Amino acid sequence: MKNVAIIMGGYSSEYQISIKSGNVVYKSLDRSKYHPYRVHILQEKWVMVDDDENEYPVNRHDFSVDHDGHKVTFDVVFNAIHGTPGEDGLIQAYLELLVIPQTSCGFYQAGLTFNKRDLLSVLKPYGIKTAVSHYINLGDVIDVEGILSKIGLPCFVKPNKSGSSFGISKVKEQEEFMPAIEKAFKEDSEILIESFLDGTEVSVGVINYKGEVKVLPITEIVSENEFFDYEAKYLGQSQEITPARIDDDMSAKVAAIAKKVYQILKMEGFSRSEYIIVNGDPHLLEVNTVPGLTEESILPQQAREAGITLPELFDNAIQLALRNK
């Protein structure tokens, strides 16, 4: 019987979604194989939460918990934190120092994929197509006309390092540009501005399943809003169609690119990458390394289409983490 800490919460605007993901993992794990524990990682506290919602502080020196007079240590950590510190490499580096295996990718891969600018820069030499982009740091002089002459309108203004859909704007007119910049700077001190890609948006889950890289059935995203924003992603204001309504040749092309990205980056654990297909070419938007794990979330939908149940999906992640210890 392995003690499993399911870490959830985080420090970003997406912490409530992470709590939901973590609770689904907690409910799904096989109690004949695992002792699961819910661990809330929040800015103000790190606590283990029992079934009666009692809280027990986490000792950050060794990631243990004193519970009912016993010291509880963990054989493995299931990472369900969206955004920082679970998706940007911080928690991965911390756990690596403590020699505690965890279910997501390594700290370098997490940090790289969390930084959209750096991720796209690393992948471009491998022929991965992306939108035209421009990058701004907080405090930079902003040449609105120069940027828009390069990027064009409409365009997207988004936080560069963010695991959520907060702070993103679709800019159609020049006068909307600076308000969008200010909105994005509320989420991050770095901003990415990208050209608008007019095409079919798809989401592709790639996982290591039973020791082999597996591309899950592709999901088509049809947002009721201007783009796949927070409301579309989490509040039901979108259609998520699995499998996507694209032909077999395009499905194979997207799957091959998604697998290539996973392998180039030397990923482990879950990943969900987003693409827009323009004139027959998939263009990468981003890679998520701790995707939503509720029953309605995209990656679990894809796993279900592939015949993988949530208990099987989560058990596989834990077994691979323990094997790599």
Side-chain angles (χ1 to χ4, degrees):
M1 295 283 284
K2 300 292 186 182
N3 286 346
V4 181
I6 304 161
I7 57 173
M8 60 190 87
Y11 305 161
S12 77
S13 305
E14 219 171 355
Y15 77 95
Q16 290 176 319
I17 305 300
S18 171
I19 297 289
K20 289 182 180 179
S21 290
N23 281 328
V24 169
V25 176
Y26 179 71
K27 292 172 185 174
S28 301
L29 290 187
D30 183 349
R31 265 48 177 188
S32 70
K33 296 175 69 173
Y34 305 115
H35 289 303
Y37 296 84
R38 296 182 298 166
V39 177
H40 289 191
I41 305 290
L42 306 171
Q43 283 184 316
E44 66 275 15
K45 59 187 176 183
W46 289 22
V47 291
M48 188 270 282
V49 182
D50 69 14
D51 288 337
D52 297 318
E53 302 304 316
N54 297 310
E55 297 183 351
Y56 302 86
V58 173
N59 182 336
R60 302 190 198 190
H61 294 290
D62 60 0
F63 200 65
S64 66
V65 176
D66 288 327
H67 180 236
D68 293 339
H70 300 283
K71 179 177 180 176
V72 178
T73 58
F74 301 104
D75 298 293
V76 62
V77 170
F78 194 109
N79 183 9
I81 296 177
H82 313 314
T84 186
E87 202 166 3
D88 58 0
L90 295 180
I91 209 77
Q92 291 89 340
Y94 164 76
L95 292 170
E96 187 163 321
L97 287 172
L98 295 177
V99 199
I100 301 174
Q102 51 87 30
T103 56
S104 57
C105 61
F107 70 88
Y108 173 75
Q109 286 78 8
L112 176 63
T113 52
F114 200 69
N115 187 311
K116 297 181 181 73
R117 177 199 64 173
D118 292 358
L119 170 69
L120 300 178
S121 298
V122 165
L123 291 174
K124 277 181 182 177
Y126 291 91
I128 307 300
K129 294 183 182 297
T130 65
V132 178
S133 61
H134 185 86
Y135 180 76
I136 298 175
N137 283 321
L138 184 63
D140 285 355
V141 175
I142 299 173
D143 176 5
V144 176
E145 291 188 2
I147 293 169
L148 293 182
S149 67
K150 171 188 173 184
I151 303 296
L153 287 171
C155 67
F156 284 99
V157 176
K158 58 180 72 172
N160 183 49
K161 301 193 302 295
S162 175
S164 71
S165 299
F166 289 98
I168 302 177
S169 301
K170 184 178 181 181
V171 175
K172 299 178 181 177
E173 306 290 341
Q174 182 168 324
E175 57 266 25
E176 299 170 355
F177 185 74
M178 286 309 298
I181 292 288
E182 292 167 10
K183 178 181 177 181
F185 273 139
K186 290 179 181 177
E187 296 290 329
D188 191 12
S189 62
E190 303 171 4
I191 289 177
L192 190 67
I193 303 156
E194 292 184 320
S195 61
F196 173 66
L197 297 173
D198 189 8
T200 302
E201 182 167 358
V202 294
S203 183
V204 192
V206 183
I207 60 175
N208 185 326
Y209 192 68
K210 298 183 178 178
E212 294 187 5
V213 176
K214 181 179 181 66
V215 181
L216 298 174
I218 298 166
T219 298
E220 180 182 350
I221 307 295
V222 183
S223 176
E224 297 173 10
N225 301 341
E226 285 282 357
F227 59 96
F228 196 43
D229 58 7
Y230 182 87
E231 286 76 17
K233 189 177 290 186
Y234 297 122
L235 302 181
Q237 295 175 16
S238 68
Q239 287 180 275
E240 298 163 3
I241 302 165
T242 309
R245 298 172 299 183
I246 55 179
D247 62 36
D248 291 345
D249 287 345
M250 183 54 66
S251 291
K253 189 172 186 177
V254 174
I257 292 171
K259 184 174 183 178
K260 180 179 179 181
V261 167
Y262 191 96
Q263 293 174 321
I264 288 168
L265 299 176
K266 300 181 180 179
M267 291 288 296
E268 297 171 358
F270 303 119
S271 85
R272 197 194 73 230
S273 49
E274 319 298 333
Y275 297 84
I276 293 183
I277 303 167
V278 182
N279 298 325
D281 285 319
H283 289 62
L284 176 66
L285 296 179
E286 63 179 5
V287 175
N288 302 283
T289 58
V290 187
L293 296 173
T294 70
E295 293 176 2
E296 299 80 25
S297 297
I298 292 173
L299 191 133
Q301 286 182 40
Q302 296 174 343
R304 189 161 57 244
E305 183 70 19
I308 302 169
T309 66
L310 285 184
E312 289 170 338
L313 185 69
F314 301 150
D315 177 73
N316 176 75
I318 291 170
Q319 291 301 317
L320 285 176
L322 288 168
R323 193 181 308 164
N324 293 334
K325 184 174 180 180

